[in-house]
Amino acid sequence: MPRRRLSIRSQFWLMAGDEALAGPGRIELLRLIHATGSIRQAALQMGMSYRAAWDAVDAMNRRAGAALVTRLTGGRRGGGAQLTELGERLIRTYARLETAHARHVERMSAKLQTLL
């Protein structure tokens, strides 16, 4: 049987103290809220319930210590949601860290090959 190449796979989460603030799924939820202007539409696109999406948004807002998403009420279009500046910065920061993290994991995978 041929020996299979080993590699490293990793994801990361941003933490607020000991609590998970945001990982890949929550960042995608924030991106979709920003794109659609709606927690409900973002949830539908992710294949999750509105309740699960709202719970995730509520947890992120509380753990961040400031709102990442604000709800808009009323109006002709019935309200919606929008990201705050902090929410937008969180997405940008996560994207930069994700890129750096991927490069680091690639380097570790290459190093793994020399150790075996």
Side-chain angles (χ1 to χ4, degrees):
M1 174 179 283
R3 195 167 125 191
R4 299 179 77 175
R5 184 178 190 275
L6 298 178
S7 63
I8 298 170
R9 193 180 313 173
S10 174
Q11 290 183 333
F12 70 94
W13 277 77
L14 300 178
M15 304 295 290
D18 290 336
E19 296 183 296
L21 173 64
R26 287 185 177 175
I27 292 296
E28 182 63 16
L29 178 62
L30 292 177
R31 285 183 182 128
L32 288 170
I33 290 168
H34 184 63
T36 64
S38 167
I39 296 171
R40 182 173 306 284
Q41 288 303 312
L44 286 171
Q45 288 187 29
M46 291 189 70
M48 65 191 305
S49 71
Y50 172 78
R51 177 64 185 204
W54 171 245
D55 287 347
V57 166
D58 185 51
M60 286 187 284
N61 282 343
R62 282 185 291 103
R63 292 172 186 173
L68 303 174
V69 176
T70 58
R71 290 176 30 182
L72 307 171
T73 57
R76 266 185 8 181
R77 294 179 15 192
Q82 67 183 25
L83 263 58
T84 63
E85 175 58 33
L86 180 59
E88 291 178 20
R89 281 197 329 245
L90 183 69
I91 290 172
R92 289 190 303 268
T93 299
Y94 188 90
R96 286 194 302 271
L97 292 171
E98 190 174 40
T99 298
H101 178 257
R103 283 194 305 264
H104 179 68
V105 169
E106 286 175 23
R107 286 192 301 272
M108 288 175 42
S109 283
K111 181 69 173 174
L112 176 63
Q113 301 314 307
T114 66
L115 297 174
L116 297 176

